[in-house]
Amino acid sequence: MAEPFYITTAINYPNGRPHIGHAYEAIAADIIARFQRLRGREVRFQTGTDEHGLKMARKAAEQDRSPRELADEMSGYFRAMDDALDISYDRFIRTVEDDHHRASQAIWRAMEAKGDLYLDRYEGWYSIRDEAYYDASELSETEDGEKLSPQGTPVEWTVEESWFFRLSNYQEPLLELLRTPGFLEPESRRNEMIAFVEGGLRDLSVSRTSFDWGVKVPGSDEHVMYVWVDALTNYLTGLGYPEDTEDWRRFWPASLHLIGKDIVRFHTVYWPAFLMSADLPPPRKVFGHGFILNRGQKESKSLGNVTDPLALAENFGVDNLRYFLMREVAFGQDGSYSAEAIVARCNAELANSFGNLVQRALSMVHKNLDGALRAFSQADADRALLATVRKSCRESLPERFEALDFSQGIEAWMQAVWACNQYVDEQAPWALRKTDPERMEAVLLTLVIAIRDLALAIQPVIPTRAGAVLDMLGIPQDARNYADLGDTGWYDALVAANHRIAKPEPMFPRLELATEAA
Protein backbone atom coordinates (compact mmCIF):
# COMPACT_ATOMS: atom_id res chain seq x y z
CA MET A 1 0.00 0.00 0.00
CA ALA A 2 1.22 3.49 -0.83
CA GLU A 3 2.76 5.53 1.97
CA PRO A 4 0.45 8.17 3.56
CA PHE A 5 1.05 11.73 2.41
CA TYR A 6 0.77 14.81 4.66
CA ILE A 7 0.90 18.21 2.96
CA THR A 8 0.56 21.63 4.54
CA THR A 9 0.50 25.19 3.35
CA ALA A 10 1.93 27.97 5.44
CA ILE A 11 -0.90 29.21 7.64
CA ASN A 12 -1.90 32.67 6.50
CA TYR A 13 -1.52 35.76 8.66
CA PRO A 14 -4.99 37.37 8.54
CA ASN A 15 -4.21 41.01 9.26
CA GLY A 16 -5.62 41.72 5.79
CA ARG A 17 -7.87 39.96 3.31
CA PRO A 18 -6.50 37.22 1.01
CA HIS A 19 -4.52 38.26 -2.06
CA ILE A 20 -3.43 36.37 -5.16
CA GLY A 21 -0.33 34.99 -3.43
CA HIS A 22 -2.47 33.25 -0.83
CA ALA A 23 -4.63 31.79 -3.58
CA TYR A 24 -1.58 30.61 -5.55
CA GLU A 25 -0.17 28.62 -2.65
CA ALA A 26 -3.56 27.14 -1.75
CA ILE A 27 -4.21 26.06 -5.34
CA ALA A 28 -0.75 24.53 -5.73
CA ALA A 29 -1.13 22.58 -2.49
CA ASP A 30 -4.58 21.41 -3.52
CA ILE A 31 -3.29 20.16 -6.86
CA ILE A 32 -0.56 18.21 -5.06
CA ALA A 33 -3.09 16.75 -2.62
CA ARG A 34 -5.50 15.75 -5.38
CA PHE A 35 -2.67 14.32 -7.47
CA GLN A 36 -1.44 12.14 -4.60
CA ARG A 37 -4.97 10.94 -3.86
CA LEU A 38 -5.37 9.96 -7.51
CA ARG A 39 -2.12 8.02 -7.22
CA GLY A 40 -3.71 5.96 -4.47
CA ARG A 41 -2.12 7.56 -1.42
CA GLU A 42 -3.98 8.39 1.77
CA VAL A 43 -3.63 12.16 1.95
CA ARG A 44 -4.02 14.63 4.79
CA PHE A 45 -4.05 18.25 3.70
CA GLN A 46 -3.92 21.09 6.20
CA THR A 47 -4.15 24.84 5.83
CA GLY A 48 -5.44 27.65 8.03
CA THR A 49 -4.64 30.96 9.71
CA ASP A 50 -1.92 32.20 12.08
CA GLU A 51 -3.78 34.66 14.28
CA HIS A 52 -1.51 35.74 17.13
CA GLY A 53 1.26 38.32 17.34
CA LEU A 54 1.87 42.03 17.65
CA LYS A 55 0.57 42.83 14.16
CA MET A 56 -2.87 41.48 14.97
CA ALA A 57 -2.92 43.14 18.39
CA ARG A 58 -2.07 46.57 16.94
CA LYS A 59 -4.51 46.19 14.04
CA ALA A 60 -7.33 45.36 16.46
CA ALA A 61 -6.44 48.30 18.70
CA GLU A 62 -6.57 50.62 15.68
CA GLN A 63 -10.11 49.42 15.03
CA ASP A 64 -11.13 49.63 18.70
CA ARG A 65 -11.96 45.93 18.89
CA SER A 66 -10.48 42.83 20.51
CA PRO A 67 -7.83 40.76 18.70
CA ARG A 68 -10.15 37.76 18.83
CA GLU A 69 -12.94 39.67 17.09
CA LEU A 70 -10.55 40.72 14.35
CA ALA A 71 -9.16 37.18 14.06
CA ASP A 72 -12.61 35.63 13.76
CA GLU A 73 -13.59 37.99 10.96
CA MET A 74 -10.37 37.83 8.98
CA SER A 75 -9.88 34.08 9.30
CA GLY A 76 -13.35 33.69 7.83
CA TYR A 77 -12.22 35.42 4.63
CA PHE A 78 -9.41 32.89 4.17
CA ARG A 79 -11.69 29.93 4.73
CA ALA A 80 -14.15 31.43 2.24
CA MET A 81 -11.32 31.80 -0.30
CA ASP A 82 -10.31 28.16 0.10
CA ASP A 83 -13.86 26.93 -0.28
CA ALA A 84 -14.50 29.12 -3.33
CA LEU A 85 -11.31 27.91 -5.03
CA ASP A 86 -12.24 24.25 -4.50
CA ILE A 87 -9.41 23.61 -2.02
CA SER A 88 -9.86 20.08 -0.70
CA TYR A 89 -8.34 20.57 2.76
CA ASP A 90 -8.91 18.05 5.55
CA ARG A 91 -8.47 20.62 8.28
CA PHE A 92 -8.55 24.40 8.32
CA ILE A 93 -6.65 25.14 11.50
CA ARG A 94 -6.79 28.32 13.56
CA THR A 95 -4.08 29.08 16.10
CA VAL A 96 -6.68 30.44 18.53
CA GLU A 97 -8.10 26.94 18.98
CA ASP A 98 -7.66 25.14 22.31
CA ASP A 99 -5.93 22.07 20.91
CA HIS A 100 -3.35 24.31 19.27
CA HIS A 101 -2.56 26.07 22.53
CA ARG A 102 -2.07 22.66 24.17
CA ALA A 103 0.26 21.50 21.38
CA SER A 104 2.32 24.71 21.47
CA GLN A 105 2.76 24.47 25.23
CA ALA A 106 3.69 20.80 24.88
CA ILE A 107 6.53 21.45 22.44
CA TRP A 108 7.69 24.33 24.65
CA ARG A 109 7.89 21.98 27.63
CA ALA A 110 9.79 19.44 25.53
CA MET A 111 12.36 22.05 24.48
CA GLU A 112 12.62 23.25 28.08
CA ALA A 113 13.18 19.69 29.32
CA LYS A 114 16.01 19.37 26.81
CA GLY A 115 17.70 22.39 28.41
CA ASP A 116 17.32 24.49 25.25
CA LEU A 117 15.38 27.40 26.79
CA TYR A 118 16.76 30.08 29.10
CA LEU A 119 15.63 33.48 30.37
CA ASP A 120 17.59 36.59 29.37
CA ARG A 121 17.12 40.10 27.99
CA TYR A 122 16.56 40.77 24.29
CA GLU A 123 17.90 43.88 22.61
CA GLY A 124 17.71 43.99 18.85
CA TRP A 125 15.83 44.71 15.65
CA TYR A 126 12.33 43.34 15.16
CA SER A 127 10.01 43.55 12.15
CA ILE A 128 6.39 43.65 13.21
CA ARG A 129 5.23 42.95 9.67
CA ASP A 130 7.42 39.85 9.35
CA GLU A 131 7.09 38.91 13.03
CA ALA A 132 10.82 38.27 12.79
CA TYR A 133 14.10 39.22 14.47
CA TYR A 134 17.02 40.35 12.33
CA ASP A 135 20.70 40.88 12.94
CA ALA A 136 22.02 44.37 12.19
CA SER A 137 24.14 42.91 9.39
CA GLU A 138 20.97 41.85 7.55
CA LEU A 139 19.41 45.32 7.49
CA SER A 140 19.42 47.95 4.78
CA GLU A 141 18.84 51.66 5.23
CA THR A 142 16.78 54.17 3.26
CA GLU A 143 17.98 57.66 2.34
CA ASP A 144 16.12 59.11 5.32
CA GLY A 145 17.75 56.67 7.72
CA GLU A 146 14.93 54.16 8.16
CA LYS A 147 16.21 50.61 8.68
CA LEU A 148 14.59 47.81 6.71
CA SER A 149 14.59 44.03 6.97
CA PRO A 150 15.77 41.79 4.09
CA GLN A 151 12.10 41.73 3.02
CA GLY A 152 12.00 45.54 2.86
CA THR A 153 9.81 45.88 5.94
CA PRO A 154 10.44 48.43 8.72
CA VAL A 155 12.19 47.23 11.88
CA GLU A 156 12.01 48.55 15.44
CA TRP A 157 14.64 48.46 18.16
CA THR A 158 13.19 46.20 20.83
CA VAL A 159 14.31 45.76 24.44
CA GLU A 160 12.51 43.33 26.74
CA GLU A 161 12.93 40.24 28.90
CA SER A 162 12.69 37.13 26.80
CA TRP A 163 13.09 33.40 26.80
CA PHE A 164 15.79 32.28 24.39
CA PHE A 165 16.13 29.07 22.41
CA ARG A 166 19.63 27.60 22.04
CA LEU A 167 19.59 27.65 18.25
CA SER A 168 23.38 27.74 18.25
CA ASN A 169 23.40 24.14 19.53
CA TYR A 170 21.90 22.92 16.26
CA GLN A 171 24.20 24.38 13.63
CA GLU A 172 25.81 21.11 12.55
CA PRO A 173 22.61 19.01 12.63
CA LEU A 174 20.88 21.69 10.57
CA LEU A 175 23.66 21.78 8.00
CA GLU A 176 23.46 18.01 7.70
CA LEU A 177 19.70 18.23 7.19
CA LEU A 178 19.94 21.05 4.66
CA ARG A 179 22.49 19.07 2.66
CA THR A 180 20.18 16.05 2.57
CA PRO A 181 19.04 15.62 -1.06
CA GLY A 182 15.42 16.61 -1.48
CA PHE A 183 14.87 18.21 1.93
CA LEU A 184 14.76 21.80 0.69
CA GLU A 185 13.91 22.77 -2.86
CA PRO A 186 14.43 24.55 -5.20
CA GLU A 187 18.23 24.43 -5.13
CA SER A 188 18.56 28.21 -4.89
CA ARG A 189 16.70 28.22 -1.56
CA ARG A 190 18.83 25.36 -0.27
CA ASN A 191 22.06 27.14 -1.10
CA GLU A 192 20.79 30.32 0.55
CA MET A 193 19.94 28.53 3.80
CA ILE A 194 23.19 26.59 3.89
CA ALA A 195 25.07 29.88 3.57
CA PHE A 196 22.95 31.41 6.34
CA VAL A 197 23.63 28.55 8.76
CA GLU A 198 27.32 28.35 7.85
CA GLY A 199 27.56 32.03 8.81
CA GLY A 200 26.86 31.07 12.42
CA LEU A 201 23.66 30.86 14.41
CA ARG A 202 22.71 33.06 17.33
CA ASP A 203 20.28 31.96 20.01
CA LEU A 204 16.72 33.00 19.19
CA SER A 205 14.36 35.08 21.30
CA VAL A 206 11.18 32.99 21.61
CA SER A 207 8.88 34.96 23.92
CA ARG A 208 7.49 38.48 24.24
CA THR A 209 6.21 40.52 27.18
CA SER A 210 5.19 43.71 25.35
CA PHE A 211 1.79 42.25 24.37
CA ASP A 212 -0.41 39.37 25.50
CA TRP A 213 -2.16 38.22 22.31
CA GLY A 214 -0.63 34.79 21.91
CA VAL A 215 -0.05 31.39 23.49
CA LYS A 216 1.03 31.71 27.10
CA VAL A 217 4.45 30.39 27.99
CA PRO A 218 3.86 27.53 30.45
CA GLY A 219 4.20 28.73 34.04
CA SER A 220 4.36 32.42 33.13
CA ASP A 221 1.73 35.16 33.30
CA GLU A 222 3.85 37.77 31.50
CA HIS A 223 5.33 35.89 28.55
CA VAL A 224 3.61 34.80 25.34
CA MET A 225 5.36 32.67 22.76
CA TYR A 226 7.17 34.23 19.82
CA VAL A 227 4.61 33.90 17.06
CA TRP A 228 6.75 31.54 14.95
CA VAL A 229 7.02 28.93 17.74
CA ASP A 230 3.25 29.06 17.97
CA ALA A 231 2.62 29.19 14.21
CA LEU A 232 4.96 26.41 13.15
CA THR A 233 3.54 24.04 15.75
CA ASN A 234 0.24 24.04 13.86
CA TYR A 235 1.62 21.26 11.67
CA LEU A 236 1.75 19.04 14.76
CA THR A 237 -1.54 20.24 16.24
CA GLY A 238 -3.47 19.02 13.22
CA LEU A 239 -2.34 15.45 13.87
CA GLY A 240 -3.25 15.45 17.56
CA TYR A 241 0.15 16.20 19.11
CA PRO A 242 1.12 15.67 21.90
CA GLU A 243 -1.28 12.72 22.05
CA ASP A 244 -0.25 9.49 20.35
CA THR A 245 -3.11 9.58 17.85
CA GLU A 246 -3.59 7.40 14.79
CA ASP A 247 -3.15 10.48 12.59
CA TRP A 248 0.14 11.28 14.36
CA ARG A 249 1.48 7.79 13.79
CA ARG A 250 0.39 7.72 10.17
CA PHE A 251 1.30 11.17 8.92
CA TRP A 252 4.28 12.58 10.82
CA PRO A 253 6.86 13.51 9.66
CA ALA A 254 5.11 15.68 7.10
CA SER A 255 5.68 14.73 3.49
CA LEU A 256 5.74 18.35 2.29
CA HIS A 257 5.56 21.84 3.75
CA LEU A 258 4.64 24.14 0.86
CA ILE A 259 5.61 27.75 1.64
CA GLY A 260 6.57 31.07 0.08
CA LYS A 261 10.25 31.78 -0.49
CA ASP A 262 10.18 34.64 2.05
CA ILE A 263 9.63 32.29 5.01
CA VAL A 264 12.09 29.54 4.13
CA ARG A 265 14.36 30.41 7.08
CA PHE A 266 11.61 29.80 9.60
CA HIS A 267 10.68 26.43 8.09
CA THR A 268 14.14 25.02 7.38
CA VAL A 269 16.25 26.46 10.21
CA TYR A 270 14.08 27.40 13.19
CA TRP A 271 11.40 24.71 12.76
CA PRO A 272 13.73 21.71 12.37
CA ALA A 273 15.75 22.96 15.34
CA PHE A 274 12.59 23.15 17.51
CA LEU A 275 11.68 19.64 16.40
CA MET A 276 15.15 18.26 17.07
CA SER A 277 15.04 19.82 20.51
CA ALA A 278 11.68 18.13 21.18
CA ASP A 279 13.08 14.80 19.87
CA LEU A 280 10.70 14.84 16.91
CA PRO A 281 11.68 14.09 13.29
CA PRO A 282 11.79 17.03 10.86
CA PRO A 283 9.55 17.16 7.78
CA ARG A 284 10.68 15.19 4.77
CA LYS A 285 10.54 18.10 2.32
CA VAL A 286 10.07 21.86 2.30
CA PHE A 287 9.43 23.64 -1.00
CA GLY A 288 9.75 27.43 -1.20
CA HIS A 289 7.76 28.66 -4.19
CA GLY A 290 8.13 32.06 -5.82
CA PHE A 291 5.88 35.10 -5.84
CA ILE A 292 3.00 35.87 -8.18
CA LEU A 293 3.39 39.40 -9.52
CA ASN A 294 0.69 41.68 -10.86
CA ARG A 295 1.89 42.71 -14.33
CA GLY A 296 5.45 42.22 -13.09
CA GLN A 297 4.99 44.10 -9.80
CA LYS A 298 4.60 42.70 -6.31
CA GLU A 299 1.15 43.53 -5.02
CA SER A 300 0.91 46.12 -2.25
CA LYS A 301 -1.72 48.42 -0.81
CA SER A 302 0.49 51.44 -1.42
CA LEU A 303 0.62 50.71 -5.16
CA GLY A 304 -3.11 50.07 -5.24
CA ASN A 305 -2.65 46.84 -7.22
CA VAL A 306 -3.89 44.25 -4.71
CA THR A 307 -6.21 41.77 -6.46
CA ASP A 308 -9.02 39.87 -4.78
CA PRO A 309 -8.56 36.25 -5.92
CA LEU A 310 -12.30 35.64 -5.56
CA ALA A 311 -12.96 38.43 -8.04
CA LEU A 312 -10.60 36.73 -10.50
CA ALA A 313 -12.36 33.41 -9.94
CA GLU A 314 -15.75 35.03 -10.46
CA ASN A 315 -14.64 36.80 -13.63
CA PHE A 316 -12.79 33.91 -15.25
CA GLY A 317 -13.98 30.75 -13.49
CA VAL A 318 -12.30 28.74 -10.75
CA ASP A 319 -10.90 26.02 -12.99
CA ASN A 320 -9.60 28.57 -15.48
CA LEU A 321 -7.78 30.46 -12.71
CA ARG A 322 -6.32 27.25 -11.30
CA TYR A 323 -5.15 26.17 -14.75
CA PHE A 324 -3.60 29.51 -15.61
CA LEU A 325 -1.58 29.83 -12.40
CA MET A 326 -0.11 26.34 -12.69
CA ARG A 327 0.44 26.49 -16.44
CA GLU A 328 1.85 30.00 -16.72
CA VAL A 329 4.48 29.94 -13.95
CA ALA A 330 7.43 27.57 -13.55
CA PHE A 331 6.80 26.44 -9.97
CA GLY A 332 9.52 27.69 -7.67
CA GLN A 333 10.16 30.82 -9.70
CA ASP A 334 8.43 34.18 -9.64
CA GLY A 335 5.72 34.66 -12.23
CA SER A 336 3.34 37.33 -13.44
CA TYR A 337 -0.35 37.47 -14.22
CA SER A 338 -2.81 39.85 -15.81
CA ALA A 339 -6.39 39.64 -16.99
CA GLU A 340 -5.16 39.63 -20.58
CA ALA A 341 -2.78 36.73 -19.90
CA ILE A 342 -5.50 34.67 -18.22
CA VAL A 343 -7.88 35.18 -21.12
CA ALA A 344 -5.23 34.44 -23.76
CA ARG A 345 -3.93 31.27 -22.11
CA CYS A 346 -7.30 29.78 -21.18
CA ASN A 347 -8.89 30.56 -24.53
CA ALA A 348 -5.99 29.11 -26.49
CA GLU A 349 -5.62 25.90 -24.48
CA LEU A 350 -8.80 25.13 -22.56
CA ALA A 351 -11.44 26.62 -24.86
CA ASN A 352 -9.92 26.32 -28.34
CA SER A 353 -7.86 23.15 -27.85
CA PHE A 354 -9.22 20.81 -25.17
CA GLY A 355 -12.74 22.22 -25.00
CA ASN A 356 -13.15 22.25 -28.78
CA LEU A 357 -11.80 18.70 -28.99
CA VAL A 358 -14.34 17.44 -26.46
CA GLN A 359 -17.21 19.40 -27.98
CA ARG A 360 -16.75 18.44 -31.61
CA ALA A 361 -15.76 14.80 -30.97
CA LEU A 362 -18.63 14.01 -28.61
CA SER A 363 -21.09 16.01 -30.71
CA MET A 364 -20.18 13.83 -33.71
CA VAL A 365 -20.55 10.67 -31.60
CA HIS A 366 -23.98 11.83 -30.47
CA LYS A 367 -25.09 12.91 -33.95
CA ASN A 368 -23.60 10.15 -36.10
CA LEU A 369 -23.62 7.16 -33.76
CA ASP A 370 -26.66 8.10 -31.70
CA GLY A 371 -24.20 8.38 -28.79
CA ALA A 372 -23.65 4.63 -28.71
CA LEU A 373 -20.27 3.10 -27.91
CA ARG A 374 -19.45 -0.12 -29.70
CA ALA A 375 -16.55 -2.41 -30.51
CA PHE A 376 -14.37 -1.32 -33.44
CA SER A 377 -11.14 -2.21 -35.22
CA GLN A 378 -8.19 0.15 -34.75
CA ALA A 379 -6.00 1.28 -37.63
CA ASP A 380 -2.35 2.27 -37.28
CA ALA A 381 -3.24 5.97 -36.97
CA ASP A 382 -5.61 5.18 -34.09
CA ARG A 383 -3.03 3.12 -32.24
CA ALA A 384 -0.39 5.81 -32.76
CA LEU A 385 -2.65 8.52 -31.32
CA LEU A 386 -3.60 6.46 -28.28
CA ALA A 387 0.06 5.63 -27.65
CA THR A 388 0.85 9.36 -27.66
CA VAL A 389 -1.99 10.12 -25.25
CA ARG A 390 -1.06 7.25 -22.96
CA LYS A 391 2.55 8.37 -22.73
CA SER A 392 1.56 11.94 -21.86
CA CYS A 393 -1.17 11.05 -19.38
CA ARG A 394 0.26 7.96 -17.73
CA GLU A 395 3.96 8.82 -17.73
CA SER A 396 4.96 12.40 -18.52
CA LEU A 397 2.33 14.34 -16.56
CA PRO A 398 2.56 12.21 -13.38
CA GLU A 399 6.35 12.27 -13.51
CA ARG A 400 6.47 16.07 -13.73
CA PHE A 401 3.73 16.57 -11.11
CA GLU A 402 5.58 14.29 -8.70
CA ALA A 403 8.56 16.63 -9.12
CA LEU A 404 6.27 19.67 -8.54
CA ASP A 405 6.96 20.79 -12.11
CA PHE A 406 3.36 21.62 -12.94
CA SER A 407 3.90 23.80 -15.99
CA GLN A 408 5.88 21.09 -17.77
CA GLY A 409 3.42 18.41 -16.71
CA ILE A 410 0.60 20.43 -18.24
CA GLU A 411 2.75 21.04 -21.32
CA ALA A 412 3.02 17.27 -21.78
CA TRP A 413 -0.76 17.02 -21.46
CA MET A 414 -1.27 19.80 -23.98
CA GLN A 415 0.98 18.01 -26.46
CA ALA A 416 -1.47 15.10 -26.31
CA VAL A 417 -4.45 17.46 -26.73
CA TRP A 418 -2.82 19.00 -29.81
CA ALA A 419 -2.07 15.53 -31.19
CA CYS A 420 -5.78 14.68 -30.89
CA ASN A 421 -6.81 17.83 -32.73
CA GLN A 422 -4.28 17.13 -35.48
CA TYR A 423 -5.66 13.58 -35.73
CA VAL A 424 -9.20 14.96 -36.18
CA ASP A 425 -8.05 17.29 -38.93
CA GLU A 426 -6.12 14.54 -40.71
CA GLN A 427 -8.82 11.85 -40.41
CA ALA A 428 -11.68 14.28 -41.24
CA PRO A 429 -14.53 12.16 -39.85
CA TRP A 430 -17.10 14.53 -41.40
CA ALA A 431 -15.84 13.46 -44.82
CA LEU A 432 -15.60 9.78 -43.83
CA ARG A 433 -19.28 9.87 -42.95
CA LYS A 434 -20.03 9.80 -46.68
CA THR A 435 -17.11 7.78 -48.00
CA ASP A 436 -16.33 5.24 -45.23
CA PRO A 437 -18.82 5.21 -42.31
CA GLU A 438 -17.06 2.31 -40.61
CA ARG A 439 -13.78 4.25 -40.57
CA MET A 440 -15.58 7.34 -39.29
CA GLU A 441 -16.91 5.26 -36.41
CA ALA A 442 -13.41 4.04 -35.52
CA VAL A 443 -12.03 7.58 -35.55
CA LEU A 444 -14.77 8.93 -33.31
CA LEU A 445 -14.54 6.09 -30.81
CA THR A 446 -10.75 6.40 -30.74
CA LEU A 447 -11.29 10.02 -29.70
CA VAL A 448 -13.64 8.92 -26.91
CA ILE A 449 -10.85 6.75 -25.50
CA ALA A 450 -8.31 9.56 -25.81
CA ILE A 451 -10.60 12.15 -24.20
CA ARG A 452 -11.19 9.86 -21.25
CA ASP A 453 -7.45 9.65 -20.57
CA LEU A 454 -6.99 13.39 -21.02
CA ALA A 455 -9.82 14.28 -18.64
CA LEU A 456 -8.73 11.77 -16.03
CA ALA A 457 -5.12 12.96 -16.06
CA ILE A 458 -5.88 16.69 -15.69
CA GLN A 459 -8.30 16.28 -12.75
CA PRO A 460 -5.96 17.73 -10.10
CA VAL A 461 -5.78 21.03 -11.98
CA ILE A 462 -9.36 21.49 -13.22
CA PRO A 463 -11.37 19.10 -11.04
CA THR A 464 -14.85 20.43 -11.81
CA ARG A 465 -14.52 20.62 -15.59
CA ALA A 466 -12.56 17.40 -15.92
CA GLY A 467 -15.14 15.66 -13.74
CA ALA A 468 -17.92 16.97 -15.99
CA VAL A 469 -16.21 15.50 -19.07
CA LEU A 470 -15.84 12.15 -17.31
CA ASP A 471 -19.53 12.32 -16.36
CA MET A 472 -20.47 12.80 -20.03
CA LEU A 473 -18.37 9.80 -20.94
CA GLY A 474 -20.05 7.69 -18.27
CA ILE A 475 -16.90 6.97 -16.27
CA PRO A 476 -17.89 5.76 -12.77
CA GLN A 477 -16.71 7.83 -9.80
CA ASP A 478 -14.69 4.90 -8.48
CA ALA A 479 -12.84 4.47 -11.79
CA ARG A 480 -11.13 7.87 -12.01
CA ASN A 481 -7.80 7.24 -10.28
CA TYR A 482 -4.46 7.25 -12.05
CA ALA A 483 -4.28 3.47 -11.74
CA ASP A 484 -7.38 3.36 -13.92
CA LEU A 485 -5.41 4.92 -16.77
CA GLY A 486 -3.93 1.46 -17.30
CA ASP A 487 -7.35 -0.21 -17.40
CA THR A 488 -8.12 -1.46 -20.90
CA GLY A 489 -11.49 -2.97 -19.99
CA TRP A 490 -13.38 0.21 -19.11
CA TYR A 491 -14.47 0.86 -22.68
CA ASP A 492 -15.78 -2.70 -23.15
CA ALA A 493 -17.67 -2.32 -19.86
CA LEU A 494 -19.43 0.81 -21.13
CA VAL A 495 -20.25 -0.97 -24.40
CA ALA A 496 -21.72 -3.90 -22.46
CA ALA A 497 -23.77 -1.49 -20.34
CA ASN A 498 -25.18 0.13 -23.51
CA HIS A 499 -23.93 3.52 -22.37
CA ARG A 500 -24.81 6.40 -24.69
CA ILE A 501 -23.15 9.81 -24.83
CA ALA A 502 -25.67 12.60 -24.67
CA LYS A 503 -25.35 15.82 -26.63
CA PRO A 504 -22.42 17.56 -24.94
CA GLU A 505 -22.66 20.89 -23.18
CA PRO A 506 -19.79 23.32 -23.82
CA MET A 507 -17.25 22.69 -21.05
CA PHE A 508 -14.90 25.59 -21.65
CA PRO A 509 -16.65 28.68 -23.03
CA ARG A 510 -14.33 31.34 -24.39
CA LEU A 511 -13.44 34.06 -21.93
CA GLU A 512 -14.00 37.72 -22.67
CA LEU A 513 -11.90 40.58 -21.35
CA ALA A 514 -13.90 43.11 -19.38
CA THR A 515 -14.01 46.50 -21.07
CA GLU A 516 -12.24 48.26 -18.21
CA ALA A 517 -9.37 45.73 -18.33
CA ALA A 518 -8.94 45.96 -22.09
Side-chain angles (χ1 to χ4, degrees):
M1 185 176 176
E3 184 180 356
F5 188 86
Y6 180 33
I7 179 173
T8 71
T9 66
I11 51 174
N12 299 304
Y13 203 79
N15 65 320
R17 295 197 183 207
H19 56 64
I20 191 65
H22 298 121
Y24 179 62
E25 182 169 297
I27 289 168
D30 181 67
I31 287 170
I32 296 166
R34 289 176 183 272
F35 169 72
Q36 293 295 344
R37 291 188 195 109
L38 289 173
R39 300 208 87 175
R41 298 179 77 171
E42 181 184 3
V43 172
R44 185 167 180 86
F45 173 18
Q46 182 165 301
T47 188
T49 45
D50 167 20
E51 299 168 41
H52 293 134
L54 184 55
K55 255 191 308 191
M56 288 291 285
R58 287 191 177 179
K59 183 87 169 183
E62 290 170 7
Q63 299 178 4
D64 195 26
R65 61 200 299 204
S66 72
R68 181 57 190 258
E69 288 173 332
L70 176 63
D72 287 347
E73 177 192 350
M74 302 305 290
S75 179
Y77 295 131
F78 282 86
R79 188 189 291 266
M81 177 195 75
D82 286 342
D83 293 342
L85 296 177
D86 210 2
I87 307 303
S88 60
Y89 57 84
D90 295 292
R91 177 166 179 183
F92 185 98
I93 195 167
R94 297 185 58 193
T95 56
V96 296
E97 294 167 338
D98 290 342
D99 63 340
H100 179 67
H101 282 240
R102 287 194 296 273
S104 299
Q105 291 177 334
I107 196 171
W108 181 281
R109 291 189 184 99
M111 294 189 294
E112 187 175 35
K114 194 72 167 287
D116 283 335
L117 298 176
Y118 63 93
L119 196 62
D120 205 335
R121 181 179 179 84
Y122 177 76
E123 295 187 18
W125 296 103
Y126 188 75
S127 167
I128 296 172
R129 196 178 304 173
D130 299 345
E131 296 284 8
Y133 303 96
Y134 293 106
D135 187 80
S137 63
E138 299 180 85
L139 305 180
S140 60
E141 192 169 319
T142 64
E143 291 182 359
D144 59 4
E146 182 183 24
K147 293 187 181 297
L148 301 176
S149 76
Q151 311 303 331
T153 58
V155 295
E156 297 180 359
W157 184 257
T158 301
V159 179
E160 62 183 312
E161 182 183 72
S162 176
W163 284 92
F164 281 77
F165 173 72
R166 298 185 191 277
L167 184 64
S168 55
N169 284 355
Y170 292 90
Q171 180 161 334
E172 290 307 315
L174 286 169
L175 282 173
E176 182 179 350
L177 178 64
L178 288 165
R179 290 168 179 153
T180 301
F183 170 69
L184 173 56
E185 293 181 350
E187 184 181 5
S188 58
R189 318 272 190 258
R190 180 167 64 250
N191 292 340
E192 181 184 346
M193 286 303 103
I194 289 173
F196 173 73
V197 175
E198 285 178 336
L201 295 176
R202 299 172 59 193
D203 290 350
L204 180 67
S205 172
V206 289
S207 76
R208 304 294 304 272
T209 58
S210 56
F211 62 95
D212 62 1
W213 177 237
V215 178
K216 291 287 187 182
V217 168
S220 172
D221 291 329
E222 294 95 24
H223 289 258
V224 295
M225 293 182 193
Y226 172 45
V227 69
W228 280 100
V229 177
D230 159 13
L232 291 161
T233 302
N234 93 88
Y235 306 130
L236 308 181
T237 305
L239 301 180
Y241 177 84
E243 302 301 323
D244 184 24
T245 65
E246 182 177 349
D247 281 344
W248 174 256
R249 292 191 298 271
R250 291 184 67 75
F251 292 108
W252 193 261
S255 307
L256 175 63
H257 289 327
L258 189 65
I259 60 168
K261 65 180 183 179
D262 54 334
I263 54 173
V264 167
R265 181 191 303 185
F266 305 100
H267 284 79
T268 61
V269 178
Y270 300 164
W271 179 227
F274 297 158
L275 291 168
M276 291 173 188
S277 177
D279 293 322
L280 299 173
R284 291 188 171 92
K285 180 188 286 292
V286 178
F287 191 97
H289 63 76
F291 293 144
I292 290 293
L293 308 175
N294 187 337
R295 300 179 186 274
Q297 286 186 309
K298 190 172 180 181
E299 292 195 343
S300 72
K301 292 178 183 177
S302 61
L303 292 174
N305 66 346
V306 177
T307 303
D308 178 359
L310 297 190
L312 286 177
E314 183 176 347
N315 289 339
F316 302 117
V318 171
D319 276 8
N320 283 323
L321 180 61
R322 290 168 62 103
Y323 181 88
F324 172 82
L325 290 174
M326 293 302 105
R327 172 67 161 138
E328 187 78 6
V329 181
F331 201 60
Q333 299 178 20
D334 291 349
S336 190
Y337 80 96
S338 67
E340 295 88 347
I342 295 172
V343 168
R345 174 71 76 177
C346 292
N347 280 348
E349 298 186 356
L350 290 182
N352 296 351
S353 296
F354 184 51
N356 188 48
L357 170 68
V358 172
Q359 184 69 22
R360 63 175 174 166
L362 299 191
S363 292
M364 285 188 284
V365 170
H366 172 73
K367 179 179 179 181
N368 298 306
L369 305 180
D370 197 25
L373 304 182
R374 54 195 75 160
F376 67 97
S377 297
Q378 291 182 356
D380 288 345
D382 309 334
R383 285 188 286 270
L385 175 70
L386 294 180
T388 296
V389 172
R390 279 195 297 270
K391 181 172 178 58
S392 293
C393 294
R394 304 181 193 181
E395 298 176 26
S396 301
L397 182 147
E399 180 183 280
R400 297 323 310 155
F401 275 30
E402 190 69 51
L404 309 185
D405 187 0
F406 305 115
S407 59
Q408 287 303 304
I410 297 173
E411 170 67 20
W413 179 80
M414 277 305 307
Q415 291 290 339
V417 171
W418 290 326
C420 288
N421 281 310
Q422 182 178 356
Y423 168 86
V424 174
D425 293 340
E426 291 173 350
Q427 297 300 317
W430 51 87
L432 291 170
R433 182 173 182 270
K434 297 179 181 179
T435 61
D436 191 345
E438 184 177 348
R439 178 64 194 142
M440 175 203 70
E441 184 173 306
V443 169
L444 296 181
L445 296 177
T446 295
L447 289 170
V448 168
I449 295 172
I451 289 169
R452 175 262 193 176
D453 280 11
L454 290 168
L456 199 157
I458 202 64
Q459 287 178 102
V461 183
I462 49 172
T464 300
R465 294 300 184 183
V469 173
L470 293 170
D471 289 344
M472 286 195 300
L473 295 176
I475 308 301
Q477 290 289 337
D478 61 357
R480 299 183 181 188
N481 293 317
Y482 277 18
D484 296 310
L485 283 166
D487 175 18
T488 57
W490 68 272
Y491 181 84
D492 293 338
L494 289 182
V495 171
N498 295 315
H499 175 70
R500 289 180 183 270
I501 294 175
K503 183 178 180 180
E505 297 292 330
M507 286 292 102
F508 301 95
R510 283 181 57 82
L511 301 179
E512 298 293 337
L513 198 60
T515 304
E516 62 268 20

